[in-house]
Amino acid sequence: ILIHLQTGENPLQVLINAITAGGAREDSTRIGSGGVVRRQAVDVSPLRRVNQGIYLMHKGVRDQAFRSLKSMPECLADEIVNASKGSGTGANSYSVKKKDEIERVAKGNR
């Protein structure tokens, strides 16, 4: 209900857009050979993108609601709405910021 009041759109579609925008498309993994460990950029599977998007959203909401006047559902609605807008619009969503950071690190490890 909070999401519908804030956006006027279908809340389920807003949630799906937020999860899609919150998961990283590229990540980096550790590759060790001969005692030398380096990081290699890899593509992320679709299921991991969904799981990572939900995890980052949840982590951001917990941090935002901790010792705050806003309740957990209010913080969750704000995070979902902000994440659904994507990374292009100066996003202040925790999950989108972390996704951008993960992709930036992976780009440096290509």
Side-chain angles (χ1 to χ4, degrees):
I1 295 176
L2 290 173
I3 295 170
H4 180 69
L5 292 175
Q6 286 181 355
T7 62
E9 299 174 24
N10 182 2
L12 202 54
Q13 186 61 48
V14 174
L15 176 65
I16 290 170
N17 292 344
I19 292 172
T20 305
R25 294 179 293 255
E26 191 177 29
D27 202 353
S28 54
T29 186
R30 292 173 47 137
I31 304 271
S33 58
V36 178
V37 176
R38 54 188 280 265
R39 295 180 70 80
Q40 176 71 38
V42 293
D43 293 333
V44 177
S45 71
L47 182 63
R48 176 157 169 79
R49 279 186 66 188
V50 170
N51 291 341
Q52 194 175 41
I54 293 171
Y55 169 77
L56 290 174
M57 214 179 302
H58 174 257
K59 190 170 188 309
V61 169
R62 260 190 321 175
D63 293 348
Q64 188 181 7
F66 184 65
R67 291 190 183 162
S68 172
L69 294 175
K70 289 174 106 176
S71 66
M72 189 82 166
E74 291 172 334
C75 292
L76 182 60
D78 288 344
E79 176 71 22
I80 289 171
V81 169
N82 290 334
S84 69
K85 293 176 184 171
S87 60
T89 57
N92 52 354
S93 163
Y94 179 87
S95 60
V96 173
K97 284 181 187 172
K98 290 298 280 186
K99 176 197 83 144
D100 289 342
E101 180 186 335
I102 290 169
E103 288 180 347
R104 184 173 39 79
V105 169
K107 189 175 182 180
N109 290 322
R110 282 185 189 160

XYZ file of all heavy atoms in Angstrom:
831
model
N 0.836 -1.196 0.000
C 0.000 0.000 0.000
C 0.872 1.248 0.000
O 0.567 2.216 -0.691
C -0.955 -0.028 1.208
C -1.928 -1.197 1.055
C -1.717 1.277 1.321
C -2.847 -1.390 2.221
N 1.964 1.225 0.766
C 2.856 2.390 0.816
C 3.464 2.683 -0.551
O 3.582 3.841 -0.952
C 3.972 2.152 1.840
C 3.564 2.138 3.318
C 4.739 1.719 4.182
C 3.049 3.483 3.730
N 3.837 1.627 -1.272
C 4.462 1.808 -2.575
C 3.454 2.395 -3.562
O 3.778 3.290 -4.332
C 5.029 0.464 -3.089
C 6.156 -0.004 -2.167
C 5.537 0.597 -4.511
C 6.625 -1.395 -2.428
N 2.215 1.898 -3.513
C 1.180 2.415 -4.415
C 0.876 3.878 -4.113
O 0.670 4.674 -5.029
C -0.084 1.570 -4.307
C -1.191 2.034 -5.198
N -1.123 1.923 -6.568
C -2.368 2.627 -4.925
C -2.220 2.425 -7.101
N -3.000 2.858 -6.125
N 0.892 4.242 -2.834
C 0.629 5.633 -2.464
C 1.760 6.555 -2.920
O 1.519 7.702 -3.291
C 0.433 5.753 -0.950
C -0.838 5.108 -0.383
C -0.845 5.188 1.128
C -2.073 5.760 -0.961
N 2.995 6.057 -2.883
C 4.138 6.885 -3.267
C 4.267 7.033 -4.784
O 4.614 8.107 -5.267
C 5.440 6.295 -2.721
C 5.615 6.500 -1.239
C 6.920 5.920 -0.740
O 7.659 5.286 -1.476
N 7.210 6.142 0.531
N 4.000 5.948 -5.526
C 4.260 5.975 -6.966
C 3.005 6.024 -7.819
O 3.043 6.523 -8.930
C 5.068 4.736 -7.394
O 4.286 3.565 -7.109
C 6.391 4.664 -6.669
N 1.912 5.462 -7.336
C 0.700 5.366 -8.139
C 0.760 4.244 -9.156
O -0.103 4.142 -10.024
N 1.776 3.390 -9.077
C 1.938 2.277 -10.010
C 1.614 0.969 -9.302
O 1.381 0.936 -8.102
C 3.370 2.246 -10.543
C 3.784 3.483 -11.311
C 5.249 3.466 -11.698
O 5.821 2.363 -11.780
O 5.812 4.548 -11.902
N 1.648 -0.116 -10.075
C 1.422 -1.447 -9.529
C 2.582 -1.813 -8.603
O 3.737 -1.856 -9.055
C 1.310 -2.458 -10.681
C 1.022 -3.859 -10.199
O 0.864 -4.100 -9.010
N 0.955 -4.780 -11.138
N 2.332 -2.064 -7.316
C 3.431 -2.340 -6.372
C 4.276 -3.554 -6.751
O 5.483 -3.560 -6.539
C 2.720 -2.581 -5.039
C 1.396 -1.954 -5.192
C 1.049 -2.020 -6.639
N 3.640 -4.581 -7.320
C 4.389 -5.777 -7.700
C 5.371 -5.481 -8.827
O 6.509 -5.956 -8.813
C 3.405 -6.875 -8.125
C 3.910 -8.298 -8.054
C 4.435 -8.607 -6.663
C 2.818 -9.259 -8.424
N 4.947 -4.655 -9.790
C 5.839 -4.288 -10.882
C 6.995 -3.431 -10.375
O 8.133 -3.567 -10.825
C 5.062 -3.539 -11.979
C 5.885 -3.250 -13.212
C 6.386 -4.522 -13.886
O 5.621 -5.457 -14.105
N 7.674 -4.561 -14.202
N 6.713 -2.547 -9.413
C 7.770 -1.712 -8.825
C 8.789 -2.593 -8.111
O 9.996 -2.386 -8.217
C 7.158 -0.667 -7.865
C 8.242 0.100 -7.135
C 6.269 0.301 -8.628
N 8.310 -3.633 -7.386
C 9.209 -4.555 -6.690
C 10.081 -5.316 -7.687
O 11.292 -5.466 -7.480
C 8.409 -5.534 -5.834
C 9.207 -6.619 -5.119
C 10.140 -5.997 -4.088
C 8.298 -7.636 -4.477
N 9.498 -5.792 -8.779
C 10.262 -6.529 -9.784
C 11.320 -5.626 -10.417
O 12.467 -6.038 -10.614
C 9.313 -7.125 -10.847
C 8.491 -8.250 -10.217
C 10.084 -7.644 -12.049
C 7.365 -8.747 -11.074
N 10.947 -4.381 -10.714
C 11.925 -3.436 -11.266
C 13.050 -3.177 -10.278
O 14.214 -3.042 -10.664
C 11.241 -2.118 -11.636
C 10.285 -2.264 -12.795
O 10.325 -3.251 -13.519
N 9.416 -1.288 -12.960
N 12.721 -3.090 -8.985
C 13.738 -2.837 -7.962
C 14.710 -4.003 -7.851
O 15.929 -3.808 -7.756
C 13.064 -2.581 -6.617
N 14.196 -5.232 -7.875
C 15.067 -6.407 -7.784
C 15.952 -6.503 -9.024
O 17.136 -6.818 -8.941
C 14.222 -7.683 -7.593
C 13.556 -7.667 -6.212
C 15.077 -8.929 -7.746
C 12.568 -8.772 -5.993
N 15.369 -6.189 -10.185
C 16.146 -6.216 -11.429
C 17.270 -5.185 -11.396
O 18.390 -5.464 -11.823
C 15.227 -5.932 -12.631
O 14.148 -6.867 -12.609
C 15.973 -6.062 -13.932
N 16.971 -3.999 -10.887
C 17.971 -2.929 -10.856
C 18.993 -3.132 -9.743
O 20.059 -2.523 -9.770
C 17.282 -1.579 -10.673
N 18.693 -3.989 -8.762
C 19.572 -4.136 -7.608
C 20.629 -5.211 -7.727
O 21.544 -5.264 -6.910
N 20.531 -6.090 -8.728
C 21.487 -7.180 -8.861
C 22.566 -6.864 -9.872
O 22.285 -6.367 -10.958
N 23.812 -7.160 -9.527
C 24.947 -6.855 -10.402
C 24.994 -7.825 -11.581
O 24.711 -9.011 -11.433
C 26.244 -6.933 -9.623
N 25.341 -7.299 -12.750
C 25.462 -8.137 -13.950
C 26.845 -8.754 -14.062
O 27.025 -9.758 -14.745
C 25.176 -7.297 -15.193
C 23.748 -6.814 -15.277
C 23.548 -5.967 -16.503
N 24.312 -4.725 -16.395
C 23.770 -3.539 -16.138
N 22.486 -3.423 -15.962
N 24.516 -2.458 -16.045
N 27.831 -8.139 -13.409
C 29.208 -8.611 -13.506
C 29.834 -8.536 -12.121
O 29.583 -7.596 -11.382
C 29.977 -7.726 -14.491
C 31.323 -8.254 -14.875
C 32.006 -7.377 -15.910
O 31.741 -6.164 -15.934
O 32.822 -7.892 -16.668
N 30.622 -9.541 -11.774
C 31.263 -9.589 -10.464
C 32.686 -10.079 -10.664
O 33.090 -10.408 -11.772
C 30.478 -10.536 -9.545
C 30.724 -10.258 -8.074
O 31.602 -9.427 -7.755
O 30.037 -10.868 -7.229
N 33.464 -10.104 -9.600
C 34.827 -10.603 -9.717
C 35.030 -11.736 -8.715
O 34.457 -11.733 -7.637
C 35.839 -9.491 -9.464
O 35.595 -8.863 -8.238
N 35.825 -12.710 -9.114
C 36.100 -13.857 -8.269
C 37.609 -14.028 -8.121
O 38.374 -13.490 -8.920
C 35.472 -15.139 -8.859
O 35.645 -16.214 -7.952
C 36.120 -15.501 -10.187
N 38.007 -14.782 -7.107
C 39.438 -15.000 -6.867
C 39.912 -16.194 -7.664
O 39.329 -17.260 -7.622
C 39.672 -15.259 -5.381
C 39.418 -14.052 -4.529
C 39.502 -14.392 -3.063
N 40.703 -15.177 -2.793
C 41.491 -14.989 -1.770
N 41.223 -14.054 -0.894
N 42.558 -15.724 -1.589
N 41.006 -15.994 -8.391
C 41.629 -17.080 -9.150
C 43.048 -17.225 -8.621
O 43.818 -16.272 -8.669
C 41.685 -16.754 -10.656
C 40.316 -16.436 -11.207
C 42.371 -17.860 -11.433
C 39.530 -17.599 -11.710
N 43.370 -18.409 -8.093
C 44.703 -18.628 -7.549
C 45.460 -19.655 -8.355
O 44.955 -20.737 -8.616
N 46.687 -19.308 -8.755
C 47.513 -20.285 -9.476
C 48.972 -20.052 -9.083
O 49.481 -18.949 -9.218
C 47.339 -20.141 -10.990
O 47.678 -18.847 -11.392
N 49.601 -21.086 -8.593
C 51.012 -20.985 -8.225
C 51.258 -20.058 -7.048
O 52.286 -19.394 -6.999
N 50.328 -20.007 -6.132
C 50.492 -19.157 -4.952
C 50.172 -17.695 -5.184
O 50.220 -16.895 -4.265
N 49.857 -17.327 -6.420
C 49.506 -15.940 -6.734
C 47.992 -15.862 -6.868
O 47.395 -16.589 -7.661
C 50.179 -15.484 -8.055
C 49.778 -14.074 -8.396
C 51.676 -15.617 -7.942
N 47.384 -14.974 -6.089
C 45.931 -14.822 -6.139
C 45.607 -13.506 -6.832
O 46.121 -12.454 -6.475
C 45.332 -14.839 -4.710
C 43.846 -14.573 -4.757
C 45.620 -16.143 -4.023
N 44.775 -13.587 -7.862
C 44.314 -12.380 -8.533
C 42.811 -12.468 -8.732
O 42.228 -13.539 -8.617
C 45.023 -12.179 -9.872
C 44.950 -13.350 -10.808
C 45.839 -13.164 -12.023
N 45.215 -12.311 -13.013
C 44.522 -12.745 -14.047
N 44.336 -14.042 -14.215
N 44.003 -11.919 -14.921
N 42.202 -11.352 -9.020
C 40.749 -11.328 -9.198
C 40.427 -11.271 -10.685
O 41.066 -10.565 -11.439
C 40.162 -10.138 -8.459
C 40.373 -10.282 -6.947
C 39.820 -9.143 -6.156
N 38.375 -9.077 -6.118
C 37.589 -9.802 -5.329
N 38.138 -10.682 -4.527
N 36.299 -9.643 -5.347
N 39.412 -12.045 -11.069
C 39.006 -12.147 -12.468
C 37.526 -11.765 -12.585
O 36.712 -12.222 -11.787
C 39.219 -13.580 -12.952
C 38.743 -13.862 -14.356
C 39.602 -13.202 -15.400
O 40.821 -13.136 -15.258
N 38.975 -12.678 -16.437
N 37.189 -10.931 -13.555
C 35.806 -10.531 -13.769
C 35.024 -11.686 -14.383
O 35.501 -12.362 -15.283
C 35.744 -9.312 -14.680
N 33.814 -11.929 -13.857
C 32.947 -12.995 -14.363
C 31.521 -12.462 -14.506
O 31.142 -11.496 -13.844
C 32.944 -14.227 -13.431
C 34.291 -14.914 -13.426
C 32.541 -13.834 -12.021
N 30.747 -13.104 -15.391
C 29.332 -12.777 -15.516
C 28.567 -13.449 -14.380
O 28.967 -14.498 -13.889
C 28.782 -13.254 -16.859
C 29.373 -12.483 -18.018
O 29.767 -11.321 -17.805
O 29.442 -13.038 -19.126
N 27.437 -12.854 -13.998
C 26.642 -13.364 -12.881
C 25.408 -14.056 -13.434
O 24.764 -13.546 -14.364
C 26.242 -12.200 -11.946
C 25.361 -12.691 -10.821
C 27.478 -11.535 -11.387
N 25.077 -15.218 -12.875
C 23.901 -15.957 -13.330
C 22.625 -15.206 -12.938
O 22.616 -14.444 -11.963
C 23.882 -17.357 -12.719
O 23.588 -17.279 -11.348
N 21.536 -15.422 -13.671
C 20.284 -14.707 -13.386
C 19.745 -14.943 -11.976
O 19.267 -14.010 -11.329
C 19.316 -15.249 -14.430
C 20.183 -15.708 -15.553
C 21.448 -16.180 -14.917
N 19.836 -16.186 -11.478
C 19.326 -16.463 -10.135
C 20.152 -15.739 -9.073
O 19.605 -15.204 -8.109
C 19.324 -17.971 -9.871
C 18.779 -18.394 -8.515
C 17.311 -17.997 -8.391
C 18.940 -19.877 -8.309
N 21.461 -15.705 -9.252
C 22.312 -14.985 -8.299
C 22.018 -13.490 -8.342
O 22.066 -12.818 -7.317
C 23.791 -15.240 -8.590
C 24.707 -14.431 -7.672
C 26.069 -15.021 -7.538
N 26.981 -14.108 -6.880
C 27.031 -13.905 -5.564
N 26.203 -14.548 -4.768
N 27.899 -13.056 -5.045
N 21.712 -12.937 -9.521
C 21.359 -11.522 -9.617
C 20.118 -11.217 -8.789
O 20.071 -10.213 -8.085
C 21.090 -11.142 -11.071
C 22.315 -10.880 -11.869
C 21.985 -10.382 -13.244
N 21.359 -9.073 -13.186
C 20.824 -8.451 -14.218
N 20.819 -9.027 -15.393
N 20.294 -7.260 -14.090
N 19.112 -12.091 -8.884
C 17.877 -11.901 -8.114
C 18.176 -11.996 -6.621
O 17.763 -11.135 -5.828
C 16.809 -12.939 -8.530
C 15.631 -12.919 -7.582
C 16.351 -12.670 -9.947
N 18.906 -13.045 -6.228
C 19.229 -13.236 -4.805
C 20.064 -12.085 -4.270
O 19.844 -11.605 -3.155
C 19.976 -14.557 -4.604
C 19.098 -15.756 -4.838
O 17.870 -15.655 -4.811
N 19.701 -16.892 -5.101
N 21.023 -11.621 -5.058
C 21.882 -10.520 -4.626
C 21.088 -9.226 -4.520
O 21.289 -8.440 -3.592
C 23.035 -10.369 -5.615
C 24.158 -9.507 -5.119
C 25.313 -9.499 -6.112
O 25.104 -9.441 -7.321
N 26.525 -9.548 -5.594
N 20.164 -9.003 -5.452
C 19.322 -7.812 -5.396
C 18.471 -7.783 -4.137
O 18.373 -6.754 -3.456
N 17.865 -8.922 -3.801
C 17.037 -9.008 -2.590
C 17.904 -8.830 -1.345
O 17.532 -8.110 -0.412
C 16.278 -10.351 -2.550
C 15.256 -10.397 -3.684
C 15.589 -10.554 -1.211
C 14.601 -11.741 -3.874
N 19.080 -9.467 -1.331
C 19.965 -9.373 -0.172
C 20.431 -7.936 0.063
O 20.390 -7.437 1.186
C 21.176 -10.294 -0.369
C 22.262 -10.066 0.650
C 22.134 -10.552 1.943
C 23.400 -9.338 0.332
C 23.115 -10.326 2.888
C 24.387 -9.107 1.263
C 24.240 -9.600 2.542
O 25.204 -9.364 3.481
N 20.869 -7.264 -1.009
C 21.365 -5.894 -0.857
C 20.243 -4.950 -0.425
O 20.461 -4.043 0.383
C 21.997 -5.415 -2.166
C 23.319 -6.074 -2.557
C 23.755 -5.619 -3.933
C 24.397 -5.773 -1.528
N 19.044 -5.177 -0.962
C 17.908 -4.352 -0.568
C 17.611 -4.536 0.921
O 17.419 -3.570 1.661
C 16.688 -4.737 -1.408
C 15.785 -3.596 -1.724
S 14.407 -4.072 -2.733
C 15.184 -4.742 -4.164
N 17.606 -5.789 1.360
C 17.320 -6.090 2.763
C 18.384 -5.503 3.690
O 18.072 -4.932 4.735
C 17.245 -7.610 2.938
C 17.107 -8.049 4.349
N 18.146 -8.562 5.060
C 16.048 -8.031 5.194
C 17.735 -8.850 6.292
N 16.475 -8.536 6.389
N 19.644 -5.614 3.290
C 20.742 -5.088 4.108
C 20.641 -3.568 4.230
O 20.823 -3.003 5.314
C 22.074 -5.477 3.468
C 23.287 -5.215 4.327
C 24.484 -5.866 3.675
C 25.724 -5.850 4.516
N 26.121 -4.600 5.052
N 20.330 -2.898 3.133
C 20.177 -1.452 3.160
C 19.015 -1.004 4.031
O 19.114 -0.008 4.753
N 17.919 -1.737 3.969
C 16.737 -1.390 4.781
C 17.036 -1.577 6.258
O 16.659 -0.745 7.087
C 15.523 -2.247 4.351
C 14.385 -2.116 5.333
C 15.072 -1.833 2.971
N 17.723 -2.668 6.603
C 18.076 -2.891 8.011
C 18.954 -1.778 8.548
O 18.751 -1.273 9.649
C 18.804 -4.222 8.173
C 17.939 -5.327 8.667
C 18.750 -6.515 9.026
N 19.833 -6.675 8.055
C 20.778 -7.572 8.153
N 20.812 -8.380 9.166
N 21.712 -7.668 7.236
N 19.971 -1.394 7.771
C 20.873 -0.325 8.201
C 20.132 1.005 8.325
O 20.415 1.798 9.213
C 22.033 -0.173 7.213
C 22.951 -1.384 7.209
O 22.825 -2.221 8.121
O 23.786 -1.488 6.288
N 19.190 1.252 7.410
C 18.452 2.510 7.419
C 17.473 2.571 8.590
O 17.284 3.633 9.192
C 17.696 2.664 6.095
C 17.037 4.008 5.909
C 16.285 4.083 4.590
O 16.156 3.095 3.875
N 15.788 5.243 4.277
N 16.841 1.447 8.946
C 15.823 1.439 9.993
C 16.431 1.361 11.393
O 15.763 1.690 12.373
C 14.867 0.266 9.790
N 17.703 0.974 11.485
C 18.334 0.812 12.791
C 18.495 2.173 13.466
O 19.056 3.098 12.883
C 19.694 0.134 12.604
C 20.407 -0.175 13.881
C 19.881 -1.078 14.776
C 21.601 0.437 14.193
C 20.528 -1.376 15.947
C 22.264 0.155 15.358
C 21.725 -0.752 16.252
N 18.001 2.307 14.681
C 18.042 3.547 15.463
C 17.473 4.734 14.680
O 18.072 5.802 14.630
C 19.470 3.864 15.901
C 19.983 2.895 16.929
C 21.281 3.372 17.495
N 21.799 2.386 18.429
C 23.038 2.324 18.837
N 23.913 3.196 18.399
N 23.415 1.416 19.693
N 16.352 4.503 14.022
C 15.726 5.528 13.215
C 14.280 5.692 13.658
O 13.692 4.804 14.260
C 15.776 5.127 11.738
O 15.010 6.015 10.969
N 13.714 6.838 13.363
C 12.313 7.068 13.682
C 11.394 6.345 12.703
O 10.248 6.038 13.038
C 12.001 8.570 13.655
C 12.699 9.409 14.732
C 12.419 10.883 14.523
C 12.244 8.964 16.110
N 11.893 6.084 11.495
C 11.084 5.399 10.495
C 10.972 3.915 10.834
O 11.937 3.303 11.288
C 11.709 5.540 9.109
C 11.608 6.919 8.524
C 12.367 6.992 7.227
C 11.414 7.012 6.078
N 12.120 7.165 4.806
N 9.810 3.353 10.567
C 9.621 1.930 10.814
C 10.230 1.122 9.668
O 10.559 1.655 8.612
C 8.131 1.609 10.945
O 7.486 1.823 9.709
N 10.340 -0.181 9.901
C 10.919 -1.078 8.894
C 10.093 -1.081 7.595
O 10.683 -0.995 6.513
C 11.025 -2.484 9.488
C 11.790 -3.440 8.659
S 13.541 -3.251 8.924
C 14.136 -4.720 8.166
N 8.766 -1.176 7.653
C 8.005 -1.151 6.393
C 8.162 0.160 5.615
O 8.216 0.141 4.376
C 6.554 -1.339 6.841
C 6.637 -2.010 8.150
C 7.899 -1.516 8.780
N 8.259 1.285 6.314
C 8.447 2.566 5.631
C 9.805 2.605 4.926
O 9.906 3.055 3.782
C 8.342 3.726 6.614
C 6.954 3.949 7.159
C 6.926 4.970 8.281
O 7.950 5.148 8.969
O 5.862 5.582 8.468
N 10.833 2.131 5.608
C 12.171 2.095 5.011
C 12.207 1.135 3.819
O 12.835 1.436 2.798
C 13.208 1.667 6.043
S 13.480 2.877 7.344
N 11.509 -0.005 3.945
C 11.466 -0.973 2.853
C 10.757 -0.379 1.639
O 11.229 -0.533 0.502
C 10.765 -2.251 3.304
C 10.668 -3.382 2.288
C 12.053 -3.825 1.862
C 9.890 -4.539 2.849
N 9.662 0.323 1.856
C 8.946 0.950 0.739
C 9.825 1.999 0.062
O 9.876 2.067 -1.174
C 7.648 1.581 1.246
N 10.534 2.801 0.852
C 11.425 3.819 0.276
C 12.532 3.173 -0.554
O 12.856 3.635 -1.654
C 12.053 4.678 1.373
C 11.055 5.627 2.010
O 9.988 5.838 1.409
O 11.356 6.150 3.099
N 13.124 2.101 -0.033
C 14.209 1.422 -0.735
C 13.709 0.813 -2.046
O 14.371 0.919 -3.076
C 14.807 0.336 0.163
C 15.871 -0.505 -0.483
C 17.174 0.222 -0.724
O 17.441 1.240 -0.056
O 17.937 -0.227 -1.600
N 12.537 0.198 -2.015
C 11.987 -0.429 -3.223
C 11.713 0.629 -4.286
O 12.051 0.461 -5.463
C 10.724 -1.242 -2.891
C 11.098 -2.496 -2.096
C 9.971 -1.628 -4.155
C 9.925 -3.257 -1.547
N 11.106 1.747 -3.885
C 10.787 2.811 -4.839
C 12.066 3.410 -5.406
O 12.187 3.622 -6.619
C 9.909 3.890 -4.173
C 9.793 5.117 -5.057
C 8.532 3.341 -3.867
N 13.055 3.675 -4.546
C 14.314 4.261 -5.014
C 15.079 3.300 -5.924
O 15.680 3.715 -6.917
C 15.192 4.677 -3.833
C 14.629 5.866 -3.093
O 13.892 6.671 -3.660
N 14.954 5.977 -1.826
N 15.077 2.012 -5.570
C 15.802 1.027 -6.380
C 15.125 0.813 -7.727
O 15.795 0.554 -8.727
C 15.909 -0.296 -5.630
N 13.807 0.935 -7.773
C 13.102 0.694 -9.034
C 13.383 1.794 -10.056
O 13.214 1.594 -11.250
C 11.597 0.583 -8.803
O 11.059 1.835 -8.439
N 13.831 2.959 -9.586
C 14.158 4.047 -10.504
C 15.449 3.769 -11.265
O 15.713 4.382 -12.290
C 14.285 5.368 -9.744
C 12.960 5.839 -9.172
C 13.118 7.079 -8.340
C 11.802 7.474 -7.708
N 11.966 8.552 -6.737
N 16.294 2.871 -10.753
C 17.514 2.491 -11.457
C 18.688 3.376 -11.098
O 18.594 4.278 -10.264
N 19.829 3.125 -11.747
C 21.073 3.798 -11.377
C 21.298 5.099 -12.125
O 22.191 5.843 -11.790
C 22.257 2.859 -11.612
O 22.305 2.495 -12.975
N 20.508 5.392 -13.145
C 20.767 6.578 -13.949
C 20.334 7.877 -13.304
O 20.863 8.936 -13.599
N 19.388 7.820 -12.377
C 18.761 9.044 -11.871
C 19.311 9.453 -10.507
O 18.553 9.740 -9.594
C 17.240 8.853 -11.765
O 16.984 7.722 -10.915
C 16.623 8.614 -13.114
N 20.612 9.458 -10.341
C 21.209 9.865 -9.069
C 20.650 9.073 -7.902
O 20.193 9.628 -6.916
N 20.643 7.764 -8.054
C 19.931 6.890 -7.127
C 20.491 6.997 -5.711
O 21.695 6.963 -5.509
C 20.016 5.451 -7.611
N 19.596 7.103 -4.735
C 20.004 7.077 -3.334
C 19.540 5.769 -2.695
O 19.234 5.719 -1.526
C 19.446 8.286 -2.574
C 17.953 8.442 -2.755
O 17.347 7.727 -3.540
N 17.355 9.366 -2.038
N 19.516 4.724 -3.489
C 19.165 3.394 -3.009
C 20.449 2.634 -2.664
O 21.411 2.651 -3.428
C 18.391 2.648 -4.092
O 18.382 1.277 -3.832
N 20.438 1.947 -1.516
C 21.612 1.206 -1.076
C 21.964 0.104 -2.067
O 23.129 -0.054 -2.444
C 21.333 0.605 0.306
C 22.473 -0.210 0.867
C 23.491 0.404 1.589
C 22.546 -1.586 0.676
C 24.539 -0.336 2.099
C 23.590 -2.329 1.184
C 24.580 -1.698 1.898
O 25.622 -2.433 2.400
N 20.952 -0.648 -2.516
C 21.224 -1.793 -3.389
C 21.790 -1.343 -4.739
O 22.682 -1.991 -5.281
C 19.956 -2.624 -3.599
O 18.936 -1.855 -4.182
N 21.292 -0.234 -5.283
C 21.791 0.240 -6.577
C 23.219 0.776 -6.429
O 24.073 0.543 -7.291
C 20.846 1.308 -7.164
C 21.434 1.926 -8.415
C 19.495 0.697 -7.468
N 23.507 1.461 -5.324
C 24.871 1.955 -5.093
C 25.856 0.794 -4.983
O 26.947 0.829 -5.556
C 24.920 2.786 -3.808
C 24.323 4.169 -3.941
C 24.439 4.903 -2.623
C 23.704 6.216 -2.652
N 23.652 6.841 -1.322
N 25.488 -0.249 -4.229
C 26.368 -1.401 -4.074
C 26.546 -2.144 -5.394
O 27.637 -2.613 -5.714
C 25.821 -2.354 -3.009
C 25.897 -1.820 -1.593
C 27.300 -1.558 -1.154
C 27.996 -2.824 -0.736
N 29.337 -2.577 -0.168
N 25.466 -2.256 -6.173
C 25.557 -2.904 -7.480
C 26.535 -2.154 -8.371
O 27.391 -2.750 -9.022
C 24.188 -2.952 -8.147
C 24.244 -3.528 -9.549
C 23.020 -3.208 -10.339
C 23.162 -1.843 -10.930
N 22.599 -1.649 -12.246
N 26.432 -0.823 -8.387
C 27.348 -0.024 -9.198
C 28.788 -0.201 -8.732
O 29.712 -0.274 -9.544
C 26.959 1.457 -9.145
C 25.664 1.735 -9.902
O 25.264 0.897 -10.734
O 25.056 2.790 -9.649
N 28.983 -0.283 -7.415
C 30.336 -0.475 -6.875
C 30.900 -1.836 -7.278
O 32.060 -1.938 -7.695
C 30.300 -0.358 -5.351
C 31.644 -0.547 -4.706
C 31.554 -0.565 -3.184
O 30.609 0.016 -2.627
O 32.446 -1.177 -2.566
N 30.073 -2.888 -7.187
C 30.518 -4.235 -7.552
C 30.895 -4.286 -9.029
O 31.930 -4.850 -9.407
C 29.410 -5.271 -7.233
C 29.264 -5.433 -5.724
C 29.707 -6.612 -7.872
C 28.034 -6.215 -5.305
N 30.060 -3.667 -9.880
C 30.349 -3.672 -11.316
C 31.579 -2.845 -11.655
O 32.336 -3.181 -12.567
C 29.129 -3.174 -12.094
C 27.989 -4.176 -12.109
C 26.786 -3.702 -12.880
O 26.710 -2.502 -13.214
O 25.913 -4.532 -13.158
N 31.808 -1.758 -10.905
C 32.990 -0.926 -11.147
C 34.260 -1.697 -10.791
O 35.262 -1.661 -11.521
C 32.889 0.360 -10.321
C 34.005 1.345 -10.550
C 33.772 2.658 -9.841
N 33.190 2.559 -8.524
C 33.846 2.246 -7.414
N 35.142 2.005 -7.469
N 33.245 2.177 -6.254
N 34.236 -2.418 -9.670
C 35.389 -3.238 -9.268
C 35.636 -4.333 -10.290
O 36.795 -4.611 -10.661
C 35.157 -3.825 -7.852
C 36.189 -4.878 -7.516
C 35.187 -2.728 -6.813
N 34.561 -4.967 -10.775
C 34.713 -6.050 -11.765
C 35.289 -5.503 -13.070
O 36.085 -6.169 -13.732
C 33.370 -6.722 -12.012
N 34.878 -4.278 -13.445
C 35.403 -3.687 -14.669
C 36.905 -3.455 -14.554
O 37.651 -3.619 -15.521
C 34.675 -2.372 -14.945
C 34.981 -1.774 -16.281
C 34.140 -0.533 -16.534
C 34.418 0.037 -17.901
N 33.616 1.245 -18.168
N 37.372 -3.097 -13.376
C 38.801 -2.895 -13.155
C 39.594 -4.191 -13.158
O 40.811 -4.174 -13.338
N 38.909 -5.327 -12.961
C 39.593 -6.622 -12.909
C 39.494 -7.400 -14.216
O 39.795 -8.585 -14.233
C 39.001 -7.475 -11.779
C 39.357 -6.932 -10.425
O 40.464 -6.457 -10.212
N 38.428 -6.978 -9.503
N 39.088 -6.774 -15.286
C 38.972 -7.491 -16.565
C 40.335 -7.876 -17.094
O 41.313 -7.239 -16.893
C 38.268 -6.612 -17.600
C 36.780 -6.584 -17.387
C 36.105 -5.809 -18.496
N 34.712 -5.626 -18.146
C 33.941 -4.701 -18.684
N 34.411 -3.867 -19.573
N 32.686 -4.587 -18.340
